[in-house]
Amino acid sequence: MPAENTGQTPQDVLVVDDDADIRNLLSSVLTIEGYAVSSASNGEEALSKLRGVPGTRLILLDLRMPVMDGWEFRAEQTRDPALSHIPVVVLSGDGDLERATASFSGASVLKKPFDLEELITVVQRYF
Amino acid sequence: MPPAPPAPPSLEADRSRPSTPPIPTDPGDALLFHELGTHMREAFWLRDARTQAILYVSPSFATVFSRPCETLYQGPEALLALIHPEDRERLATARARVDTAYEEEYRVVRDDGSFGWILGRGFPVRGPEGEVRHILELCEDITPWRRTEDDLRTTNDIMRALIQASPVAILALNLEHRVVLWNSAAERMFGWSAIEVLGHVHPIVSAEEQDDFRGLFQSVLEGGGFTGVETRRRRRDGTFIEVSISTAPMRDPDGQVVAAMALLEDITERKRSERALAEELARRAALAAENARLYQQAQDAVRLRDEFLSIASHELRTPCTSVRLAIQSLLRLHRASAAGSAANATAPAGPASPVRTGGAIPPEFLTQALEVASRQTTHLSNLIDQLLDVTRITAGRLTLHLADVDLSKLVREVVTDFRGELERSGTPLTLEVTDEIRGRWDASRLEQVMINLLSNAIKYGAGKPIAVRATREGDRARVTVRDHGIGIPPDRQHIIFERFGRAVSGRHYGGLGLGLYIVRCILDELGGTIQVESTLGAGSTFTIELPCAGPPPRTEDEAT
């Protein structure tokens, strides 16, 4: 059974995507894989989760989202010394991914629709 | 300096050399003679008619002839020796006729070699018997005026030549507007000869330009000439030419203005080329502006297309991602399950020690994944439909299948289909529809309209309540969809019904930017309307209205 990730337990992976289906499926799959997963539907929600629950070790980040998009989130994250060290894997369907992720130095980038096996391989690299 | 007057007031000294008796003999007369000779500007002398001897020479002779008086006493020929050779014979002839008066203008050679002009007159002086005894000759120096006259004549000749040779029409009008001068350029320019117009009121100003002409003429009379006034004047053949006029007043010796002289230059050709140049410039400017506009349009189109392709690819990838994720996760679990039933699954290494279950696929996950796959393939198909619709609209091929449709039933069904999405987004919805709203419409297009409006209300509704209302208002049906979401800024409200027009950044909200454009096009086809009222941060209300009778018949113009 997938491990339940309640409010205060340390989260391994934070899934940030405004598409509920992707967010929920990804959470489920990773939970089944054994990770403690938390999710957020935009950058602002992601920041508040990261600040509320320490111990996140990886962020899976979509770019185009309402309220606060992935770029704005990244800017906020790198400005915050408590969060800036957390690695980010960008998952985006943007047409020009290279240009879109120019500001994400050091981040892994997977183009949507990504291959699940590849994603899991990338995720495993951080654990 | 005038020469020193002769010393004695007596004629004795003057006639010391001639042998003829002194005339006059009366001392009072002699004194008078001497006074006259001293004060008159003219030189005069007295010649004996018989002997031709000079009896008396006035002192002013020295001034007029610039020779001493003695010169004349030398003999009858002494005077002629001082005269210009060309005038000598004429003067000699005149002087020879002793019994008649003469008047001759002749040149005298001065002692400095220059010529002077003399007006010489001679009168016979008769004795008691009427016989001519003496000749009195008077000489006046008229050199200054001869010069002025010559100068004037020369100036006049030059002026006349200039006026006649001028390529500019030169004419003068007296106070009654009668022509007093009309040169040959004026003849050529206007077609009337000088003989035809001299003394007549000039014919070159048309009735409609009379006021203008009178104003100009008056300004000249008041002493102010003008330069380069551009107007038009009439020719003999009734055509007009454009002229540049410069004028000056002409005055009589008292300084009174008696005429106005005008110089008229034909500038028709110049004006034509100026106009042609201006037109050419305007044409080029328009062309440049048009090119710039087309270039901008092309740039905009390219930018819009690029933006659209970027958004469209993102929009199409999103459902693909869900579907692929659903299928691949099921596949992964299935493989693990198959492998796990044969042997124990190997747990991946890592500090979090994630454990892959070796059992069957969790049924709730199976359901979740299949539902996502199903829903997202539908979504994908809708996106493709939208793209096709836009292509059809652009090509003018959005065809309607009109039939009897119950709008309230249609609205209810669409809302029901949205139940799942409403639940997922946590959006409450209230529905208020009149029992039956029948009209002649295209059911699937109206469904599309409702789906787009509801999708937007949920997407931008921030999870707040949505109200859908469908009513019949006379012969029209009205549907309103109201949300309480983010709203639309006033300056964006006009573009949301345009192709690719969106009120918010594509970075924040997905979608092709085509939904409301398609809605508007469908409503246009159905003869309906769509309007939006919105307050930023407080929500939006979309109102559509449709004629129940269906779309009005199209006219030829609209059809094209």
Side-chain angles (χ1 to χ4, degrees), chain A residues 4 13 37 44 53 56 60 68 82 110 112 114 120:
Chain A
E4 283 298 313
V13 182
V37 183
E44 198 175 272
V53 187
T56 298
L60 302 185
M68 180 188 283
L110 288 181
K112 284 180 178 175
F114 51 82
I120 286 172

Side-chain angles (χ1 to χ4, degrees), chain A residues 1-2 12 17-26 28-36 57 62-69 71-72 92-96 111-117 119-120 124 126-127, chain B residues 309-311 313-315 317-326 328-333 335 348-357 362 364-365 368-369 371-373 375-376 424 505-510:
Chain A
M1 285 301 292
D12 292 330
D17 198 312
D18 64 322
D19 188 284
D21 281 346
I22 294 175
R23 194 172 62 234
N24 294 339
L25 269 181
L26 214 44
S28 298
V29 171
L30 290 171
T31 304
I32 290 167
E33 289 297 317
Y35 298 94
R57 299 175 59 184
D62 184 25
L63 291 179
R64 289 177 194 268
M65 293 179 291
V67 187
M68 180 188 283
D69 62 32
W71 294 277
E72 290 164 339
S92 172
D94 204 282
D96 188 349
K111 192 182 181 87
K112 284 180 178 175
F114 51 82
D115 181 79
L116 179 63
E117 297 301 326
L119 174 71
I120 286 172
Q124 281 173 353
Y126 292 92
F127 291 91
Chain B
L309 286 177
S310 161
I311 289 165
S313 75
H314 182 267
E315 285 309 300
R317 280 203 175 96
T318 303
C320 281
T321 306
S322 305
V323 173
R324 195 175 188 198
L325 187 55
Q328 288 189 337
S329 54
L330 289 176
L331 196 57
R332 181 177 170 85
L333 289 174
R335 281 180 187 142
S353 307
V355 180
R356 191 186 297 159
T357 52
E364 63 271 40
F365 182 76
Q368 184 193 7
E371 272 177 4
V372 166
R375 187 166 52 240
Q376 292 297 340
R424 269 196 305 283
S505 158
R507 257 162 84 146
H508 290 156
Y509 287 89

Side-chain angles (χ1 to χ4, degrees), chain A:
Chain A
M1 285 301 292
E4 283 298 313
N5 182 42
T6 55
Q8 291 303 308
T9 51
Q11 56 200 30
D12 292 330
V13 182
L14 175 63
V15 176
V16 191
D17 198 312
D18 64 322
D19 188 284
D21 281 346
I22 294 175
R23 194 172 62 234
N24 294 339
L25 269 181
L26 214 44
S27 299
S28 298
V29 171
L30 290 171
T31 304
I32 290 167
E33 289 297 317
Y35 298 94
V37 183
S38 176
S39 67
S41 63
N42 61 60
E44 198 175 272
E45 219 179 295
L47 281 175
S48 101
K49 290 225 162 155
L50 286 171
R51 284 168 184 153
V53 187
T56 298
R57 299 175 59 184
L58 184 65
I59 300 162
L60 302 185
L61 182 69
D62 184 25
L63 291 179
R64 289 177 194 268
M65 293 179 291
V67 187
M68 180 188 283
D69 62 32
W71 294 277
E72 290 164 339
F73 166 81
R74 176 64 173 176
E76 287 291 322
Q77 186 216 346
T78 47
R79 258 200 293 277
D80 187 340
L83 307 178
S84 59
H85 67 280
I86 306 172
V88 167
V89 174
V90 175
L91 305 174
S92 172
D94 204 282
D96 188 349
L97 207 50
E98 201 175 312
R99 200 180 58 179
T101 58
S103 56
F104 290 81
S105 60
S108 303
V109 177
L110 288 181
K111 192 182 181 87
K112 284 180 178 175
F114 51 82
D115 181 79
L116 179 63
E117 297 301 326
E118 196 186 340
L119 174 71
I120 286 172
T121 309
V122 170
V123 170
Q124 281 173 353
R125 218 183 282 154
Y126 292 92
F127 291 91

Side-chain angles (χ1 to χ4, degrees), chain B residues 97-117:
Chain B
R97 292 196 301 268
V98 292
D99 56 345
T100 51
Y102 77 89
E103 182 173 317
E104 288 293 338
E105 283 181 19
Y106 55 86
R107 282 164 289 179
V108 63
V109 183
R110 298 241 166 81
D111 58 356
D112 61 359
S114 68
F115 294 121
W117 277 95

